[in-house]
Amino acid sequence: MESLNFVYDLLGKNIVAYILLALLPMAFLLPYALVAILGELKISAWIQERLGPMRTGWKGVLQPIAEVVKLLQKEDITPAAVNKPLFNLAPFVMFAGAYAAYAVIPFSSKFVPVNINIGLFYVFAISAFGVIAIVMGGWASNNKYSLLGAMRAAAQMISYEIPIAVAILAIATLAGSLDMQEIIYKQGGGFWNWNIFGGPGAITKIWVIPFTVTLFLIYFIGSLAETNRVPFDIPEGESEIVAGYHTEYSGMKFAMFFFAEYSNMFIVSAIITILFLGGWQSPFGNFLNGPVWQAFWFVSKAMLFVFLQIWLRWTLPRLRVDQLMYVTWKVMLPIAFVAFFAVALWAMIQ
Amino acid sequence: MSETKTFEIDFGKVYSERMRLNVGPQHPSTHGVLRLEVELEGEVVTEIVPHIGYLHRCFEKHAENVTYPQVIPYIDRMDYISSMNNEFPYVLGMEKLLGIEVPEKVQYIRVICAELNRIANHQIAIATFGLDSGAFTPFLYYFRDREMIITLFEKLSGGRLLYNYFWIGGLMHDVHPTFAEDCLEIVKQVRKTNDEALDLLMYNKIFVERTANIGILPADVAINYGCSGPVLRGSGVPYDLRKVEPYSIYDKFDFDVVVGKGEMGTLGDCWDRNIVRVREIYESCKIIEQAIEQMPKEPCDVRQAVPKRIKPPVGEFYCRAENPKGELGFYIISDGSPKPTRVRARATSFVNLSVLPEISKGYMIADLIMILGSLDIVLGEIDR
Amino acid sequence: MNPKDIFELLKKEIGDQALELVEKEYHDPFIVVRANSIVETCLVLRDDPNTLFDYLVNLSGVDDKDKFVVVYHLYSLKHRHRIVLKVYLDRENPHIPTVERVWRSANWHEREAYDMFGIVFDGHSDLRRILCPYDWEGHPLRKDYKTPDYYKGIKVPL
């Protein structure tokens, strides 16, 4: 296999290359967050027949920058009764977890910061970091609402990891690898070969498509819960428990939570793209499949899911915490297992 | 106050303690400055004590120190979402006491204003109820329409929220020339949005899950607690003062009393209370259309029956009308002087809220917020 | 049933505890009842199949210069008739049994009457102030109430 990383091609394997590699996802993440915030504002406005922000720049496109500046210059309040070390640490843990996942996200065939052969496993493990941060922040805030939010978050995210894990496992079985680049390579040659359509194979694969689509939906629903987005924004639930775990946070620390949430939105969208929609593969086989085009396809597919998440947020009400648990344990998990067995069977026959 | 329970389990002693949580007075979904002292076992509400009075403005004391017409602006400020409806029972009662006959056109304008305000109130009630469940978008749809109604009221009275439009014996001003067309346009838009909200919110699967079978209020309990309005009708009791004892000219219109039927769950749950409001908007639209058709077209001096000096005879009476939230009544005692001796407001939300501890025990904290939202309270009226 | 029949019924059931029926011009017809028999009266009115007053519309305290009055507005959802009960209380030591057990809606109304007039409802489950702060002194709707100059060191604006 040729080199997987254009940075190493350019600079060789040295300290400069490592630092550059560590910073490159940030160079993507910052503009992405601004776009996503603007998207959230403008899409919600569009759904609700409003204009949204219109004063900052042309049609209000500079609004996210204004919001970031506002958050940066806000007073950083640490309430007197909090557990200071944990309270201050939590947003950084949250963000570190969200950012660390970018280490293995392949943006194109020529760029993945660290190409490890258990990439999926790594992402899955690192996403559990967020739970620790939320519980930390919620408990350290010394606020009953925050505590309730933290408890809900822990219960929710741990439960939802199980159907997600089953979905990931099914795809790993199908592709025969936990290496993301490997999974993506296998899905090359047009959208018909994507895992959502059963992966590459003869026409007989048609019977497995319902199961892979089911897994796709399970992963998508689970990822909404992972990122605490509506209809699973129960840990925040601003109408019930005010803002849950980040009730007491303000200024920069709140911004970190906020940033991490948007970052997580992209991560889960990226994973779903890699697992089911062929990652950076062009939908048209080798047509428009150069390394830069690949990055384009990858980001567009992921952004489609970011858009979907925003769309859902402004459309649906929120579930209750026990209903959420019901959905995971009694609906999604059995279905995920059935789909997993079907996919495993298919992989075995192949 | 918290009670400690000890469980003997194999791996030692485990303590569980109930948590006392203050919901409010600065909580986003208490619809004002209501404070609920809640005891939680995990997330399940085991005890709930409402504390009110944060918005107490001494309405009854004020009313004893001003003349009869001056009471009306204070009444506006009780249920500030539906000021027109608030003025209605007071004005009607005073006219009965003074023996004033108001012109026919005034009656029609009053009914139209009251029904428009009922629509505005129900829109807020449904919208904020949706907001409590996390659905933000219907909220803005409804507020967009409510804006049209408020703009119309601004044209009539100059105020957008507190109108002082109904006077004892008449109205502040006659309506503007395009009043009828404006109303019909509003009615058209309101119907459209309501259809949309039914699809987007009321029949949404998640919303139904959140509201059906939650906060069940049986009819006998509702009556015993003195509930009225959509809260009582949601439990299946067809008690609407506009039909039961038609005041003003409500007997001239054809409309139905909407009651809950327990379509999605048990009779008297949160969903029933809310669907009553949604359907009542259609009924109000019907009344407005009929009233505009029947209303005398020629201009009329709406102040012709307004008395110059109000000095009612010695007497006392209780007058009531159907507010959007329920029965609003005033118990007025007159000693023959220009100032009332006692004005006691039977505030709808005050009575409706008192049922909350009864119906919210054993549900989760998220349900408590939904139940509170379904009661549609306004703290300005509770605290007066 | 008209007020006269209701009064007759009360006379039959509770004897001379029902003092009089007043029907005056400009007044809603009302029945004056003794304080001690108010619960009994209310139970009769609520449960008798001819009256069935199942709905306590309003309960108000009134300061009538030399007496306190507690006024009950009753309504029957079935028969759609109404009646007013009045109980005159001593100004010095206003005590009256609670009707909370008869109609639960009386709970908060009675608390308000206690808050505003200092009328004590004997047997009430939770007789606290409801609208005023819990540590407020005096009962604001009494005619002889003097507004305090200061509340917790804050000057009361007039």
mmCIF file of all heavy atoms in Angstrom, chain B residues 72-104:
data_model
loop_
_atom_site.group_PDB
_atom_site.id
_atom_site.type_symbol
_atom_site.label_atom_id
_atom_site.label_comp_id
_atom_site.label_asym_id
_atom_site.label_seq_id
_atom_site.Cartn_x
_atom_site.Cartn_y
_atom_site.Cartn_z
ATOM 1 N N ILE B 72 -60.274 48.718 36.383
ATOM 2 C CA ILE B 72 -60.082 47.939 35.156
ATOM 3 C C ILE B 72 -58.602 47.780 34.774
ATOM 4 O O ILE B 72 -58.172 46.670 34.469
ATOM 5 C CB ILE B 72 -60.911 48.546 34.005
ATOM 6 C CG1 ILE B 72 -62.399 48.446 34.370
ATOM 7 C CG2 ILE B 72 -60.649 47.818 32.704
ATOM 8 C CD1 ILE B 72 -63.314 49.050 33.357
ATOM 9 N N PRO B 73 -57.791 48.842 34.802
ATOM 10 C CA PRO B 73 -56.376 48.616 34.468
ATOM 11 C C PRO B 73 -55.684 47.619 35.387
ATOM 12 O O PRO B 73 -54.798 46.894 34.934
ATOM 13 C CB PRO B 73 -55.758 50.011 34.620
ATOM 14 C CG PRO B 73 -56.870 50.943 34.402
ATOM 15 C CD PRO B 73 -58.071 50.272 34.955
ATOM 16 N N TYR B 74 -56.111 47.563 36.643
ATOM 17 C CA TYR B 74 -55.516 46.559 37.530
ATOM 18 C C TYR B 74 -55.943 45.155 37.120
ATOM 19 O O TYR B 74 -55.172 44.208 37.217
ATOM 20 C CB TYR B 74 -55.915 46.815 38.985
ATOM 21 C CG TYR B 74 -55.208 48.004 39.591
ATOM 22 C CD1 TYR B 74 -55.870 49.201 39.799
ATOM 23 C CD2 TYR B 74 -53.874 47.922 39.949
ATOM 24 C CE1 TYR B 74 -55.222 50.285 40.334
ATOM 25 C CE2 TYR B 74 -53.216 48.996 40.483
ATOM 26 C CZ TYR B 74 -53.893 50.186 40.677
ATOM 27 O OH TYR B 74 -53.238 51.259 41.206
ATOM 28 N N ILE B 75 -57.194 45.051 36.692
ATOM 29 C CA ILE B 75 -57.684 43.746 36.250
ATOM 30 C C ILE B 75 -56.910 43.277 35.026
ATOM 31 O O ILE B 75 -56.575 42.107 34.896
ATOM 32 C CB ILE B 75 -59.190 43.824 35.958
ATOM 33 C CG1 ILE B 75 -59.954 44.061 37.260
ATOM 34 C CG2 ILE B 75 -59.678 42.563 35.299
ATOM 35 C CD1 ILE B 75 -61.400 44.334 37.046
ATOM 36 N N ASP B 76 -56.579 44.226 34.132
ATOM 37 C CA ASP B 76 -55.755 43.891 32.973
ATOM 38 C C ASP B 76 -54.485 43.177 33.382
ATOM 39 O O ASP B 76 -54.023 42.269 32.708
ATOM 40 C CB ASP B 76 -55.329 45.173 32.247
ATOM 41 C CG ASP B 76 -56.408 45.691 31.345
ATOM 42 O OD1 ASP B 76 -57.323 44.917 31.055
ATOM 43 O OD2 ASP B 76 -56.320 46.862 30.939
ATOM 44 N N ARG B 77 -53.935 43.641 34.474
ATOM 45 C CA ARG B 77 -52.623 43.129 34.862
ATOM 46 C C ARG B 77 -52.684 41.813 35.604
ATOM 47 O O ARG B 77 -51.659 41.306 36.026
ATOM 48 C CB ARG B 77 -51.916 44.194 35.722
ATOM 49 C CG ARG B 77 -51.315 45.276 34.868
ATOM 50 C CD ARG B 77 -51.216 46.589 35.577
ATOM 51 N NE ARG B 77 -50.687 47.619 34.692
ATOM 52 C CZ ARG B 77 -51.393 48.261 33.762
ATOM 53 N NH1 ARG B 77 -52.669 47.966 33.585
ATOM 54 N NH2 ARG B 77 -50.842 49.182 33.010
ATOM 55 N N MET B 78 -53.882 41.286 35.806
ATOM 56 C CA MET B 78 -53.952 39.979 36.462
ATOM 57 C C MET B 78 -53.483 38.889 35.526
ATOM 58 O O MET B 78 -52.390 38.376 35.663
ATOM 59 C CB MET B 78 -55.381 39.704 36.919
ATOM 60 C CG MET B 78 -55.723 40.367 38.222
ATOM 61 S SD MET B 78 -57.455 40.182 38.633
ATOM 62 C CE MET B 78 -57.693 38.451 38.411
ATOM 63 N N ASP B 79 -54.305 38.535 34.572
ATOM 64 C CA ASP B 79 -53.895 37.557 33.572
ATOM 65 C C ASP B 79 -53.475 38.352 32.357
ATOM 66 O O ASP B 79 -54.264 38.608 31.464
ATOM 67 C CB ASP B 79 -55.062 36.622 33.264
ATOM 68 C CG ASP B 79 -54.701 35.609 32.211
ATOM 69 O OD1 ASP B 79 -53.562 35.667 31.738
ATOM 70 O OD2 ASP B 79 -55.543 34.779 31.882
ATOM 71 N N TYR B 80 -52.212 38.740 32.339
ATOM 72 C CA TYR B 80 -51.778 39.695 31.318
ATOM 73 C C TYR B 80 -51.740 39.094 29.923
ATOM 74 O O TYR B 80 -51.464 39.782 28.966
ATOM 75 C CB TYR B 80 -50.417 40.292 31.686
ATOM 76 C CG TYR B 80 -49.430 39.281 32.217
ATOM 77 C CD1 TYR B 80 -48.765 38.433 31.363
ATOM 78 C CD2 TYR B 80 -49.180 39.187 33.584
ATOM 79 C CE1 TYR B 80 -47.888 37.503 31.846
ATOM 80 C CE2 TYR B 80 -48.293 38.251 34.067
ATOM 81 C CZ TYR B 80 -47.654 37.408 33.188
ATOM 82 O OH TYR B 80 -46.783 36.483 33.673
ATOM 83 N N ILE B 81 -51.977 37.788 29.799
ATOM 84 C CA ILE B 81 -52.004 37.193 28.465
ATOM 85 C C ILE B 81 -53.358 37.443 27.812
ATOM 86 O O ILE B 81 -53.468 37.527 26.605
ATOM 87 C CB ILE B 81 -51.763 35.672 28.548
ATOM 88 C CG1 ILE B 81 -50.544 35.376 29.389
ATOM 89 C CG2 ILE B 81 -51.681 35.054 27.177
ATOM 90 C CD1 ILE B 81 -49.266 35.348 28.683
ATOM 91 N N SER B 82 -54.414 37.513 28.626
ATOM 92 C CA SER B 82 -55.748 37.681 28.055
ATOM 93 C C SER B 82 -56.483 38.801 28.776
ATOM 94 O O SER B 82 -57.470 38.575 29.457
ATOM 95 C CB SER B 82 -56.526 36.368 28.137
ATOM 96 O OG SER B 82 -56.391 35.826 29.419
ATOM 97 N N SER B 83 -55.998 40.012 28.595
ATOM 98 C CA SER B 83 -56.559 41.149 29.317
ATOM 99 C C SER B 83 -58.005 41.427 28.939
ATOM 100 O O SER B 83 -58.822 41.777 29.781
ATOM 101 C CB SER B 83 -55.730 42.394 29.038
ATOM 102 O OG SER B 83 -54.452 42.232 29.546
ATOM 103 N N MET B 84 -58.316 41.289 27.653
ATOM 104 C CA MET B 84 -59.687 41.579 27.219
ATOM 105 C C MET B 84 -60.688 40.705 27.965
ATOM 106 O O MET B 84 -61.723 41.180 28.416
ATOM 107 C CB MET B 84 -59.827 41.310 25.724
ATOM 108 C CG MET B 84 -59.059 42.246 24.859
ATOM 109 S SD MET B 84 -59.937 43.767 24.564
ATOM 110 C CE MET B 84 -58.923 44.526 23.330
ATOM 111 N N ASN B 85 -60.343 39.416 28.080
ATOM 112 C CA ASN B 85 -61.252 38.507 28.768
ATOM 113 C C ASN B 85 -61.377 38.860 30.239
ATOM 114 O O ASN B 85 -62.431 38.692 30.834
ATOM 115 C CB ASN B 85 -60.758 37.081 28.648
ATOM 116 C CG ASN B 85 -60.781 36.603 27.226
ATOM 117 O OD1 ASN B 85 -59.866 36.892 26.464
ATOM 118 N ND2 ASN B 85 -61.827 35.929 26.849
ATOM 119 N N ASN B 86 -60.288 39.342 30.824
ATOM 120 C CA ASN B 86 -60.341 39.710 32.236
ATOM 121 C C ASN B 86 -61.344 40.818 32.485
ATOM 122 O O ASN B 86 -62.049 40.822 33.484
ATOM 123 C CB ASN B 86 -58.977 40.216 32.697
ATOM 124 C CG ASN B 86 -57.994 39.100 32.876
ATOM 125 O OD1 ASN B 86 -58.330 37.951 32.686
ATOM 126 N ND2 ASN B 86 -56.797 39.453 33.237
ATOM 127 N N GLU B 87 -61.360 41.780 31.557
ATOM 128 C CA GLU B 87 -62.230 42.929 31.768
ATOM 129 C C GLU B 87 -63.708 42.541 31.647
ATOM 130 O O GLU B 87 -64.572 43.192 32.214
ATOM 131 C CB GLU B 87 -61.909 44.007 30.726
ATOM 132 C CG GLU B 87 -60.532 44.593 30.905
ATOM 133 C CD GLU B 87 -60.024 45.261 29.635
ATOM 134 O OE1 GLU B 87 -60.791 45.394 28.685
ATOM 135 O OE2 GLU B 87 -58.852 45.657 29.621
ATOM 136 N N PHE B 88 -63.952 41.478 30.896
ATOM 137 C CA PHE B 88 -65.325 41.134 30.540
ATOM 138 C C PHE B 88 -66.226 40.924 31.773
ATOM 139 O O PHE B 88 -67.252 41.610 31.911
ATOM 140 C CB PHE B 88 -65.323 39.899 29.632
ATOM 141 C CG PHE B 88 -66.364 39.935 28.567
ATOM 142 C CD1 PHE B 88 -66.146 39.361 27.333
ATOM 143 C CD2 PHE B 88 -67.589 40.545 28.788
ATOM 144 C CE1 PHE B 88 -67.096 39.398 26.343
ATOM 145 C CE2 PHE B 88 -68.546 40.587 27.813
ATOM 146 C CZ PHE B 88 -68.298 40.008 26.584
ATOM 147 N N PRO B 89 -65.893 40.027 32.697
ATOM 148 C CA PRO B 89 -66.832 39.795 33.809
ATOM 149 C C PRO B 89 -67.019 41.029 34.678
ATOM 150 O O PRO B 89 -68.141 41.308 35.114
ATOM 151 C CB PRO B 89 -66.166 38.665 34.601
ATOM 152 C CG PRO B 89 -64.769 38.631 34.169
ATOM 153 C CD PRO B 89 -64.733 39.138 32.777
ATOM 154 N N TYR B 90 -65.983 41.767 34.894
ATOM 155 C CA TYR B 90 -66.095 42.952 35.743
ATOM 156 C C TYR B 90 -67.047 43.974 35.128
ATOM 157 O O TYR B 90 -67.955 44.496 35.788
ATOM 158 C CB TYR B 90 -64.701 43.567 35.939
ATOM 159 C CG TYR B 90 -64.698 44.792 36.795
ATOM 160 C CD1 TYR B 90 -64.796 44.682 38.174
ATOM 161 C CD2 TYR B 90 -64.613 46.063 36.244
ATOM 162 C CE1 TYR B 90 -64.805 45.794 38.973
ATOM 163 C CE2 TYR B 90 -64.626 47.185 37.033
ATOM 164 C CZ TYR B 90 -64.721 47.054 38.399
ATOM 165 O OH TYR B 90 -64.740 48.166 39.179
ATOM 166 N N VAL B 91 -66.826 44.219 33.827
ATOM 167 C CA VAL B 91 -67.653 45.202 33.136
ATOM 168 C C VAL B 91 -69.118 44.746 33.097
ATOM 169 O O VAL B 91 -70.039 45.519 33.372
ATOM 170 C CB VAL B 91 -67.083 45.409 31.722
ATOM 171 C CG1 VAL B 91 -68.053 46.168 30.871
ATOM 172 C CG2 VAL B 91 -65.771 46.125 31.786
ATOM 173 N N LEU B 92 -69.313 43.468 32.811
ATOM 174 C CA LEU B 92 -70.679 42.941 32.766
ATOM 175 C C LEU B 92 -71.360 43.067 34.118
ATOM 176 O O LEU B 92 -72.518 43.499 34.220
ATOM 177 C CB LEU B 92 -70.651 41.463 32.364
ATOM 178 C CG LEU B 92 -70.458 41.132 30.900
ATOM 179 C CD1 LEU B 92 -70.346 39.640 30.746
ATOM 180 C CD2 LEU B 92 -71.599 41.667 30.076
ATOM 181 N N GLY B 93 -70.629 42.711 35.156
ATOM 182 C CA GLY B 93 -71.198 42.778 36.493
ATOM 183 C C GLY B 93 -71.560 44.199 36.877
ATOM 184 O O GLY B 93 -72.649 44.459 37.406
ATOM 185 N N MET B 94 -70.678 45.139 36.598
ATOM 186 C CA MET B 94 -70.960 46.527 36.949
ATOM 187 C C MET B 94 -72.160 47.053 36.179
ATOM 188 O O MET B 94 -72.974 47.812 36.705
ATOM 189 C CB MET B 94 -69.733 47.407 36.655
ATOM 190 C CG MET B 94 -68.599 47.253 37.627
ATOM 191 S SD MET B 94 -69.085 47.352 39.348
ATOM 192 C CE MET B 94 -69.628 49.043 39.457
ATOM 193 N N GLU B 95 -72.263 46.659 34.914
ATOM 194 C CA GLU B 95 -73.413 47.112 34.128
ATOM 195 C C GLU B 95 -74.711 46.555 34.696
ATOM 196 O O GLU B 95 -75.743 47.233 34.697
ATOM 197 C CB GLU B 95 -73.245 46.695 32.658
ATOM 198 C CG GLU B 95 -72.332 47.631 31.910
ATOM 199 C CD GLU B 95 -71.746 47.020 30.662
ATOM 200 O OE1 GLU B 95 -72.174 45.921 30.275
ATOM 201 O OE2 GLU B 95 -70.837 47.639 30.089
ATOM 202 N N LYS B 96 -74.662 45.317 35.180
ATOM 203 C CA LYS B 96 -75.856 44.726 35.769
ATOM 204 C C LYS B 96 -76.249 45.495 37.029
ATOM 205 O O LYS B 96 -77.411 45.821 37.257
ATOM 206 C CB LYS B 96 -75.583 43.253 36.092
ATOM 207 C CG LYS B 96 -76.827 42.398 36.104
ATOM 208 C CD LYS B 96 -76.476 40.944 36.311
ATOM 209 C CE LYS B 96 -76.722 40.542 37.748
ATOM 210 N NZ LYS B 96 -76.120 39.265 38.098
ATOM 211 N N LEU B 97 -75.244 45.818 37.829
ATOM 212 C CA LEU B 97 -75.512 46.534 39.076
ATOM 213 C C LEU B 97 -76.059 47.934 38.797
ATOM 214 O O LEU B 97 -76.968 48.409 39.473
ATOM 215 C CB LEU B 97 -74.222 46.623 39.896
ATOM 216 C CG LEU B 97 -74.328 47.229 41.282
ATOM 217 C CD1 LEU B 97 -75.166 46.341 42.171
ATOM 218 C CD2 LEU B 97 -72.964 47.411 41.896
ATOM 219 N N LEU B 98 -75.513 48.591 37.778
ATOM 220 C CA LEU B 98 -75.930 49.950 37.483
ATOM 221 C C LEU B 98 -77.139 49.995 36.567
ATOM 222 O O LEU B 98 -77.700 51.064 36.330
ATOM 223 C CB LEU B 98 -74.778 50.715 36.823
ATOM 224 C CG LEU B 98 -73.551 50.950 37.705
ATOM 225 C CD1 LEU B 98 -72.362 51.336 36.857
ATOM 226 C CD2 LEU B 98 -73.829 52.021 38.720
ATOM 227 N N GLY B 99 -77.523 48.853 36.010
ATOM 228 C CA GLY B 99 -78.664 48.806 35.104
ATOM 229 C C GLY B 99 -78.424 49.494 33.780
ATOM 230 O O GLY B 99 -79.280 50.216 33.276
ATOM 231 N N ILE B 100 -77.263 49.306 33.216
ATOM 232 C CA ILE B 100 -76.936 49.951 31.946
ATOM 233 C C ILE B 100 -77.179 48.974 30.814
ATOM 234 O O ILE B 100 -76.812 47.802 30.901
ATOM 235 C CB ILE B 100 -75.454 50.396 31.928
ATOM 236 C CG1 ILE B 100 -75.189 51.407 33.031
ATOM 237 C CG2 ILE B 100 -75.081 50.983 30.578
ATOM 238 C CD1 ILE B 100 -73.744 51.730 33.218
ATOM 239 N N GLU B 101 -77.805 49.472 29.737
ATOM 240 C CA GLU B 101 -77.956 48.693 28.516
ATOM 241 C C GLU B 101 -76.922 49.200 27.530
ATOM 242 O O GLU B 101 -76.918 50.375 27.180
ATOM 243 C CB GLU B 101 -79.359 48.882 27.923
ATOM 244 C CG GLU B 101 -80.401 47.904 28.421
ATOM 245 C CD GLU B 101 -80.102 46.459 28.051
ATOM 246 O OE1 GLU B 101 -79.735 46.219 26.882
ATOM 247 O OE2 GLU B 101 -80.229 45.592 28.931
ATOM 248 N N VAL B 102 -76.018 48.352 27.081
ATOM 249 C CA VAL B 102 -75.019 48.838 26.128
ATOM 250 C C VAL B 102 -75.501 48.596 24.715
ATOM 251 O O VAL B 102 -76.293 47.693 24.472
ATOM 252 C CB VAL B 102 -73.654 48.153 26.344
ATOM 253 C CG1 VAL B 102 -73.077 48.533 27.678
ATOM 254 C CG2 VAL B 102 -73.752 46.663 26.197
ATOM 255 N N PRO B 103 -75.061 49.445 23.757
ATOM 256 C CA PRO B 103 -75.504 49.284 22.365
ATOM 257 C C PRO B 103 -75.114 47.918 21.816
ATOM 258 O O PRO B 103 -74.158 47.299 22.271
ATOM 259 C CB PRO B 103 -74.755 50.394 21.627
ATOM 260 C CG PRO B 103 -74.302 51.336 22.660
ATOM 261 C CD PRO B 103 -74.175 50.586 23.925
ATOM 262 N N GLU B 104 -75.846 47.493 20.805
ATOM 263 C CA GLU B 104 -75.641 46.147 20.282
ATOM 264 C C GLU B 104 -74.254 45.990 19.683
ATOM 265 O O GLU B 104 -73.591 44.962 19.847
ATOM 266 C CB GLU B 104 -76.712 45.860 19.230
ATOM 267 C CG GLU B 104 -76.879 44.383 18.966
ATOM 268 C CD GLU B 104 -77.735 44.113 17.744
ATOM 269 O OE1 GLU B 104 -78.190 45.083 17.115
ATOM 270 O OE2 GLU B 104 -77.940 42.935 17.427
#
